[in-house]
Amino acid sequence: MVSESGSASAAASVSASAAQVLVASNRGPVSYTVGEDGELTARRGGGGLVSGLSAIGDRADSLWVCAALGEGDREAVRRGVGEPGVRMLDIDAGSSEGVHAAAYNGIANSALWFVHHMLYQTPLEPTFGPEFRAQWAAYETYNRAFAQALAAEAGPGAAVLVQDYHLALVPGMLRELRDDLRIGHFSHTPWAPADYFRMLPDDVAEQLLRGMLGADRLGFLTGRWADAFTECCVRVLGGTSGTRIGVHGLGADADFLRERSRRDDVEERMRALREQAGEDRKLIVRVDRTELSKNIVRGLLAYRQLLDDRPEWRERVVHVAFAYPSRQDLAVYRDYTAEVSRVAESINSEYGTESWTPVVLHVKDDFARSLAAYRLADVALVNPIRDGMNLVAKEVPVVSDEGCALVLSREAGAYEELGEDALPVNPYDIMATAAALHTALTMPDDERAERTKRLAAAATALPPAQWFLDQLRALTD
């Protein structure tokens, strides 16, 4: 494995590997750490996306192209260490130092993510000035490095599936380098309404859309996001230029979740959580990263409102909130994480008693503990401001022991599939969310069990491997 800074000569030649199915994403299926002794240790990634995209691993002619994200990854690239079927790019090698950070934090996570999730406080932000333009140049460089690597590695007529908003320009750039390829792009986020999308500078908005329309086929998680993209193309470009558009709602991996949730470490954490909450208390569970769009603070405020409006629930319910820190290299995320802790502590201070802690907050990521909470939950609270899909909403019903009522934001992509059997809420309305929590807590056991059964069936309709293979089939057909 060699460092890739992106050269025209590399793009013009086809690698001897001649891969026929390629995936491109910012984060790959493996990451590396450097030990004190200098040894590299590889760790496989998890989650529905990795599970789905890993379906290419069954093919000897497949390749996953990803970025080196940490020092361990970069050291692996420098040493030529890697796994079969994975090519990791050190975007910052050579003269491109700082490109990845500017592209990833400056554009992908601080501009495109904010636009698609409609997170800007518009009286003050955004401001697209010189700093943004420098970051945009880095985003172009970053995308070009991927396009050149894919062009060099793909065999004649190969299928290339590019993932997400980090790599929105890759399809168009790759099309210029290799017109023989079948190119797909999949968006894992919502897509902004046209009026909000056009907050971006006109040339940037046009470049993003044209970049994606370089693909033969574009995929989205829901029809709503696909329609929003199409409307943006109509308003900005006059149409989609013949690019095909499809919808593939990523589902939960039922077999993995059910097996993993029955292991000893999960059973141990179930006992600890039940002891912490109290044996006879109802549990309202949420599991999220402290991502601004997840709406954790309003969820806590809705729980406080429940305790205000329905005093009978005091001492009888516990809100188990797992808020795992995310993107802590950005100040706005650090501030949000701190606010989550502050609100949880204020609820405990106001309502807690010697024998009852109203909010049990955990901020250290622990997958086994998350699964334990899934199994114990009487109510799952999933109330994002906007979410491309939200797999937590799909995972909880799959592993729930006794059935779980789902309080679900209508702004989550999962609502399109699960809304009929969930309790829908406006994510901004904490009083209505509090009322939905009460309805969920008082739902009869038989109704809750039947709803859970239907939710689990809908949640697993398109498991990760099939989700990927359906896209590949649609692209190659």
Side-chain angles (χ1 to χ4, degrees):
M1 195 177 296
V2 295
S3 171
E4 176 67 40
S5 58
S7 66
S9 59
S13 61
V14 177
S15 167
S17 65
Q20 284 301 309
V21 178
L22 299 92
V23 165
S25 63
N26 177 68
R27 184 178 300 277
V30 64
S31 61
Y32 295 90
T33 56
V34 184
E36 292 183 3
D37 58 358
E39 288 295 311
L40 284 170
T41 301
R43 179 176 180 272
R44 298 292 298 187
L49 176 59
V50 170
S51 177
L53 298 181
S54 293
I56 67 168
D58 297 334
R59 301 180 52 131
D61 60 350
S62 67
L63 182 69
W64 191 327
V65 179
C66 58
L69 299 183
E71 185 52 40
D73 290 354
R74 289 187 285 272
E75 183 61 25
V77 174
R78 286 192 287 268
R79 296 185 193 181
V81 173
E83 294 200 0
V86 178
R87 182 174 180 184
M88 193 172 279
L89 310 180
D90 185 357
I91 305 295
D92 288 338
S95 60
S96 301
E97 188 173 353
V99 166
H100 184 270
Y104 181 74
N105 284 330
I107 298 299
N109 288 342
S110 296
L112 302 185
W113 182 272
F114 272 62
V115 166
H116 290 316
H117 290 84
M118 300 173 66
L119 294 175
Y120 280 124
Q121 300 180 59
T122 53
L124 298 174
E125 56 184 13
T127 54
F128 297 122
E131 182 181 13
F132 171 82
R133 289 296 175 174
Q135 292 167 340
W136 182 253
Y139 183 78
E140 292 174 311
T141 299
Y142 169 73
N143 276 250
R144 191 171 297 109
F146 270 86
Q148 290 170 336
L150 291 165
E153 296 284 0
V160 181
L161 290 105
V162 181
Q163 303 300 310
D164 226 358
Y165 62 105
H166 312 91
L167 303 176
L169 303 182
V170 167
M173 292 175 169
L174 182 57
R175 177 68 62 206
E176 292 180 359
L177 296 170
R178 293 285 304 277
D179 193 43
D180 63 303
L181 301 178
R182 290 164 291 180
I183 303 170
H185 183 282
F186 195 90
S187 293
H188 297 269
T189 65
W191 194 271
D195 287 341
Y196 205 91
F197 180 77
R198 296 190 76 178
M199 198 184 308
L200 290 166
D202 291 352
D203 60 314
V204 169
E206 181 174 342
Q207 192 177 349
L208 281 167
L209 296 176
R210 291 196 186 282
M212 289 179 63
L213 292 177
D216 297 285
R217 190 175 187 275
L218 299 172
F220 295 88
L221 287 165
T222 73
R224 180 182 177 187
W225 312 142
D227 290 345
F229 174 82
T230 299
E231 177 64 17
C232 286
C233 290
V234 170
R235 295 271 294 276
V236 175
L237 304 176
T240 57
S241 303
T243 297
R244 292 177 289 140
I245 294 176
V247 173
H248 304 271
L250 176 62
D253 188 341
D255 292 341
F256 165 74
L257 288 168
R258 287 172 178 145
E259 184 279 324
R260 181 67 183 86
S261 67
R262 262 57 187 178
R263 294 186 195 173
D264 289 345
D265 59 343
V266 177
E267 299 283 352
E268 177 187 334
R269 284 159 177 78
M270 285 177 68
R271 289 191 291 271
L273 280 173
R274 179 51 74 189
E275 182 178 348
Q276 193 173 15
E279 280 297 329
D280 298 322
R281 292 185 174 121
K282 297 272 193 179
L283 298 187
I284 299 172
V285 168
R286 78 172 306 135
V287 178
D288 281 307
R289 292 173 291 110
T290 53
E291 159 57 54
L292 307 182
S293 65
K294 298 300 184 183
N295 208 25
I296 301 170
V297 169
R298 287 194 189 91
L300 289 166
L301 295 176
Y303 177 64
R304 170 187 271 162
Q305 192 68 45
L306 172 72
L307 300 180
D308 274 347
D309 294 344
R310 301 282 183 171
E312 66 268 26
W313 283 115
R314 298 178 192 177
E315 301 267 8
R316 294 178 54 217
V317 66
V318 171
H319 187 11
V320 177
F322 296 165
Y324 302 139
S326 173
R327 299 176 182 171
Q328 295 299 289
D329 46 352
L330 296 175
V332 66
Y333 285 88
R334 293 194 298 272
D335 293 344
Y336 188 74
T337 301
E339 180 65 5
V340 168
S341 295
R342 188 196 69 77
V343 174
E345 289 167 7
S346 73
I347 294 172
N348 286 337
S349 176
E350 183 176 354
Y351 296 99
T353 66
E354 189 173 322
S355 61
W356 175 53
T357 303
V359 179
V360 172
L361 177 67
H362 286 283
V363 296
K364 184 178 180 182
D365 197 349
D366 184 330
F367 185 55
R369 188 173 57 208
S370 297
L371 291 173
Y374 288 178
R375 288 182 58 186
L376 290 170
D378 297 288
V379 177
L381 175 58
V382 181
N383 67 319
I385 294 169
R386 273 168 78 82
D387 217 334
M389 177 53 66
N390 195 292
L391 282 177
V392 170
K394 293 187 169 186
E395 290 169 350
V396 176
V398 172
V399 301
S400 172
D401 279 3
E402 302 295 334
C404 178
L406 175 62
V407 176
L408 180 62
S409 168
R410 66 193 187 200
E411 297 302 313
Y415 179 74
E416 194 164 292
E417 298 164 78
L418 307 183
E420 188 172 333
D421 287 297
L423 299 173
V425 292
N426 172 347
Y428 300 97
D429 189 341
I430 64 170
M431 295 190 71
T433 303
L437 290 173
H438 174 72
T439 300
L441 288 166
T442 55
M443 185 179 290
D445 290 347
D446 56 348
E447 180 185 351
R448 188 176 63 179
E450 285 301 314
R451 284 183 185 240
T452 302
K453 194 179 300 182
R454 293 192 295 268
L455 286 167
T460 56
L462 194 61
Q466 192 60 46
W467 166 84
F468 175 81
L469 294 173
D470 280 3
Q471 292 176 64
L472 180 61
R473 188 177 302 110
L475 178 61
T476 55
D477 286 349

